[in-house]
Amino acid sequence: MPQWLKNASFYEIYPQSFYDSNGDGIGDINGITQKLDYVKGCGFNALWLNPCYLSPFLDAGYDVQDYTKVAPRYGTNEDLYKLFDEAHKRGMHVILDLVPGHTSVKHPWFVESARAEKNKYSDYYVWTNEVWQKPAPYSWVAGMSERDGCYLLNFFNAQPALNFGFNRIDHPDWQIPYTDDRVKPVFEEILSVMRFWLDRGCDGFRVDMAASLVKNDDGHEATASLWRKARKMLDEQYPQAVMISEWSRPLEALNKAGFHCDFLLNDYKKFSYYAFRRVEGGKNKSYFCKSAHVTAKNMLKTYLPDVYGSWGNGYVSVISGNHDTARIAHTLDESELKLAYTFILTQPGVPFFYYGDEIAMRYLPQVSKEGGYNRTGARTPMQWNSSEKNLGFSTAEREKLYLDVDRSADAPCVEQQLQKQDSLLNTVKALNALRAANDDLLADGELSQVTALDNGTLFYKRGKNTYVAFNPKDKAAVVPLKLGKVLFCIGKATPRGDKTLLSAQTAVVFTK
Ligand code: NOJ
């Protein structure tokens, strides 16, 4: 297990939208490097960059055309190596997005695979034997190639699935077993992409759709066996490199597949949905909402089994959000976010913040860009300063921007929040500082005594002697804990003998 993960606090950057250093209207790698001190100043010590490789951008870069070349719109490979270097100088780590399940239709492997004549790449993708054959339950594209057959999709039409074989074989004429030599080179290619970046200073990967590799793989056993190979390679050759899965099932990803961390995504009726996202009839009713309808018990129902069931095998990653869903500020207001972020940053595991969530950037629904559709509203440019052109994101003319910035008069911005002592941004800074300074709050610090009361409060113990208590509701409530030394407080906590009175919307971290 890489040591640095123990006190890692991650910041996800969508490179298109972070900072445009050359005035062409789109964010770039040098822009990220220029803003490293900002990210570090917020207390984040690790970055995850969404795909920044050569791509036709039909899915914002998740359609990779060349795994080892930075897209010219973001800069050069040298710019990225410099980012690794500058981050390391600041004690920070950088992970890239690895997209192993599919490529772009423009990837040279696919171009070759689609040829009628058999060649080295024919089996790199999953093809049926004739164009009329499109068996359920999978999605296929027919009629786009010289080759007679349909290609299997992993996501959009321009993202053909790489061929890691099948676990259960129902069509022996074209399905290849995952253990067959014909598909082995494909995972070897992925391993060599990993080595390419690790050899150049990258610290690991967020792995896109990590569970999607082997098909007809119901319990994901076969897919897990591939990832264990990747983990073995890291353990032997790059022991400080991390792999973090987009899987959202820690019991599989951490226990079986060997990932170091697994995201808990906003899956319907799972933890994040109940904690931060539940919307009904236009109103948020999640646990951290002051008029919550979700109880802490319900919120924790899928969370605690995931955390405890994978304990010791890797870390669960709670996220503020990501580039695939409406922003968290769509469902929680600033006062609610302060409590939600206190929860995220006092949990075990490795927390992830999506750029802009630290200032409560809004979800701004708009016309789809690069396959974003309803996700586009969560991908708008970072808001640095309200007094600068395009909120400081870019000096380009408005119509040249990748996506327009939030033009509302009260759009939240970094500069303004830095000046306000109790701003959301300064709260995030304080929480990251608290986490960094307290061994009890490290990724593997024990989580115990988790208690949800009928009065809406929630509390737990971290490590040897750190307690965290919440009252997200709009009226005061008592918790049966004696208040000791307060390390951090939002709202107000007042000792009441052996108990503590928590004012409306309070979160308190203390020792006994
Ligand atoms: C998950 C990514 O987060 C998403 O943005 C992308 O569209 C799909 N995987 C396909 O790669």
Side-chain angles (χ1 to χ4, degrees):
M1 181 64 72
Q3 270 305 307
W4 61 273
L5 272 185
K6 267 194 177 201
N7 63 355
S9 183
F10 267 89
Y11 191 76
E12 173 189 351
I13 292 183
Y14 190 68
Q16 293 87 316
S17 294
F18 198 56
Y19 185 59
D20 171 16
S21 72
N22 62 359
D24 63 357
I26 187 161
D28 44 55
I29 304 284
N30 287 338
I32 298 171
T33 307
Q34 287 176 27
K35 295 292 187 185
L36 276 179
D37 288 328
Y38 164 72
V39 179
K40 187 171 183 201
C42 294
F44 297 108
N45 53 17
L47 302 181
W48 154 31
L49 308 189
N50 291 109
C52 53
Y53 320 108
L54 188 70
S55 164
F57 293 103
L58 291 172
D59 184 16
Y62 282 94
D63 46 332
V64 179
Q65 182 174 346
D66 184 339
Y67 285 105
T68 56
K69 185 173 163 43
V70 167
R73 73 186 203 180
Y74 299 134
T76 61
N77 280 29
E78 282 64 36
D79 294 340
L80 187 53
Y81 308 153
K82 184 164 166 240
L83 168 60
F84 296 151
D85 204 36
E86 289 295 323
H88 294 158
K89 279 188 198 153
R90 290 166 174 78
M92 301 169 82
H93 292 87
V94 183
I95 67 168
L96 295 177
D97 213 315
L98 180 71
V99 190
H102 47 271
T103 66
S104 156
V105 283
K106 293 218 166 138
H107 195 292
W109 300 340
F110 185 77
V111 173
E112 289 304 311
S113 193
R115 291 192 201 288
E117 197 173 301
K118 195 146 175 66
N119 62 60
K120 178 178 168 198
Y121 299 98
S122 299
D123 290 329
Y124 265 47
Y125 297 81
V126 183
W127 293 86
T128 57
N129 275 345
E130 40 174 287
V131 76
W132 316 114
Q133 199 186 10
K134 297 162 135 188
Y138 294 106
S139 302
W140 304 91
V141 170
M144 298 294 287
S145 59
E146 180 187 90
R147 175 171 177 170
D148 187 4
C150 299
Y151 65 83
L152 177 68
L153 296 181
N154 223 31
F155 203 69
F156 289 150
N157 278 13
Q159 289 160 305
L162 281 164
N163 193 359
F164 300 95
F166 285 70
N167 190 349
R168 189 187 69 249
I169 305 284
D170 325 299
H171 297 272
D173 48 332
W174 54 269
Q175 293 177 343
I176 302 177
Y178 77 98
T179 45
D180 194 292
D181 280 348
R182 284 172 291 170
V183 293
K184 280 200 179 138
V186 184
F187 198 68
E188 288 303 321
E189 295 276 12
I190 299 300
L191 294 177
S192 98
V193 169
M194 292 171 79
R195 287 192 298 269
F196 177 89
W197 290 111
L198 294 172
D199 288 341
R200 285 159 183 80
C202 164
D203 298 297
F205 304 93
R206 172 269 186 187
V207 179
D208 186 70
M209 294 174 64
S212 75
L213 304 195
V214 177
K215 306 302 180 195
N216 282 359
D217 186 25
D218 298 338
H220 297 118
E221 297 291 342
T223 299
S225 73
L226 293 181
W227 289 119
R228 283 200 303 275
K229 272 192 203 158
R231 171 66 185 267
K232 187 161 179 277
M233 175 182 88
L234 297 190
D235 287 349
E236 287 169 4
Q237 297 170 41
Y238 306 90
Q240 289 302 313
V242 302
M243 37 182 229
I244 299 178
S245 50
E246 188 202 27
W247 193 310
S248 210
R249 286 186 187 199
L251 306 186
E252 291 183 358
L254 306 180
N255 297 4
K256 295 185 186 172
F259 280 90
H260 296 106
C261 301
D262 184 35
F263 293 129
L264 297 182
L265 302 175
N266 299 317
D267 304 332
Y268 182 60
K269 293 203 169 177
K270 293 207 27 196
F271 158 71
S272 295
Y273 165 84
Y274 284 131
F276 316 126
R277 303 279 171 171
R278 188 174 193 220
V279 179
E280 253 169 35
K283 281 199 184 138
N284 176 26
K285 296 180 177 180
S286 64
Y287 175 70
F288 285 103
C289 173
K290 49 186 165 295
S291 53
H293 286 207
V294 171
T295 61
K297 266 198 189 91
N298 234 351
M299 169 179 85
L300 298 171
K301 215 161 53 191
T302 64
Y303 180 68
L304 293 178
D306 277 347
V307 172
Y308 289 135
S310 60
W311 197 268
N313 291 326
Y315 301 126
V316 159
S317 284
V318 177
I319 62 172
S320 71
N322 68 20
H323 58 290
D324 287 333
T325 48
R327 281 190 179 269
I328 191 167
H330 186 54
T331 44
L332 296 179
D333 68 21
E334 250 187 80
S335 65
E336 293 162 344
L337 285 174
K338 286 182 182 172
L339 270 63
Y341 292 174
T342 306
F343 180 87
I344 295 176
L345 290 170
T346 58
Q347 280 301 300
V350 177
F352 275 73
F353 270 70
Y354 183 46
Y355 83 95
D357 281 350
E358 75 277 22
I359 54 168
M361 266 175 68
R362 297 176 182 134
Y363 174 62
L364 303 165
Q366 54 202 293
V367 176
S368 176
K369 178 91 176 185
E370 298 185 345
Y373 299 96
N374 64 334
R375 307 174 292 181
T376 308
R379 299 175 173 185
T380 57
M382 182 64 179
Q383 298 157 199
W384 297 101
N385 192 335
S386 60
S387 60
E388 285 175 37
K389 190 173 179 181
N390 302 316
L391 302 182
F393 163 65
S394 166
T395 55
E397 292 312 314
R398 183 173 176 180
E399 51 291 349
K400 285 188 76 187
L401 296 182
Y402 172 77
L403 282 171
D404 201 3
V405 297
D406 185 349
R407 298 279 165 188
S408 33
D410 60 348
C413 286
V414 166
E415 206 51 47
Q416 284 70 21
Q417 290 207 16
L418 280 175
Q419 282 153 23
K420 215 174 134 226
Q421 209 198 329
D422 66 345
S423 65
L424 186 63
L425 176 53
N426 280 326
T427 304
V428 169
K429 266 186 165 196
L431 283 163
N432 267 326
L434 174 78
R435 191 176 169 96
N438 185 337
D439 282 357
D440 282 349
L441 295 175
L442 290 179
D444 56 359
E446 201 186 339
L447 173 70
S448 58
Q449 299 178 25
V450 184
T451 312
L453 298 182
D454 288 344
N455 64 4
T457 59
L458 162 71
F459 53 88
Y460 45 85
K461 183 180 176 191
R462 289 295 319 281
K464 290 202 174 76
N465 187 29
T466 300
Y467 295 81
V468 190
F470 295 90
N471 173 26
K473 297 241 178 184
D474 49 11
K475 56 176 188 296
V478 170
V479 285
L481 289 174
K482 190 173 159 59
L483 192 66
K485 182 176 168 220
V486 174
L487 305 176
F488 174 89
C489 188
I490 300 285
K492 198 164 170 223
T494 318
R496 284 273 187 280
D498 275 355
K499 299 182 176 163
T500 301
L501 177 72
L502 303 179
S503 304
Q505 291 201 290
T506 289
V508 59
V509 183
F510 61 98
T511 52
K512 274 197 174 163

